[in-house]
Amino acid sequence: PASRFLRPVQKATSALATAQRRRITGEMPNAAQNGKNYHLWWPPHNFGRAREANLAHLRAILEYFRHLRDTHGFRAMTMDDLAQEHRERAL
């Protein structure tokens, strides 16, 4: 299941976007430090309106991911990558 749904925003600096970003970046370290998955789910078609604001919102989250990758080895994976890893562990 998704850990968090990235809701589309109208302005990356809105109070709702800021609260959502704070919640996501507050949850990510636990996953990174404990070798867990964090599934951030965003359907790309949701970014069609206010595209620049949504991309700025996502970019801020990805910058924080980069920090966690560099400090804790947090990995980015597609759902296919994750399924393959689980299949390999099952063998």
Side-chain angles (χ1 to χ4, degrees):
S3 299
R4 185 69 56 194
F5 175 65
L6 184 62
R7 298 193 182 286
V9 299
Q10 293 301 314
K11 293 182 180 179
T13 57
S14 74
L16 289 175
T18 301
Q20 181 185 51
R21 197 164 43 250
R22 190 173 297 134
R23 186 172 36 246
I24 290 168
T25 58
E27 295 167 343
M28 289 169 65
N30 180 53
Q33 293 165 358
N34 294 297
K36 296 181 179 180
N37 297 316
Y38 189 86
H39 177 194
L40 184 61
W41 173 51
W42 76 88
H45 65 269
N46 283 358
F47 283 24
R49 291 189 179 150
R51 186 178 69 211
E52 291 305 317
N54 281 290
L55 290 175
H57 184 53
L58 177 61
R59 193 173 296 113
I61 294 166
L62 293 175
E63 287 295 324
Y64 190 65
F65 161 79
R66 184 183 311 189
H67 164 73
L68 294 173
R69 181 196 63 200
D70 294 347
T71 58
H72 298 290
F74 208 25
R75 299 182 304 154
M77 302 173 76
T78 66
M79 292 303 286
D80 188 51
D81 294 337
L82 186 61
Q84 180 65 31
E85 186 173 285
H86 282 279
R87 282 191 294 269
E88 290 170 2
R89 285 184 191 167
L91 295 178

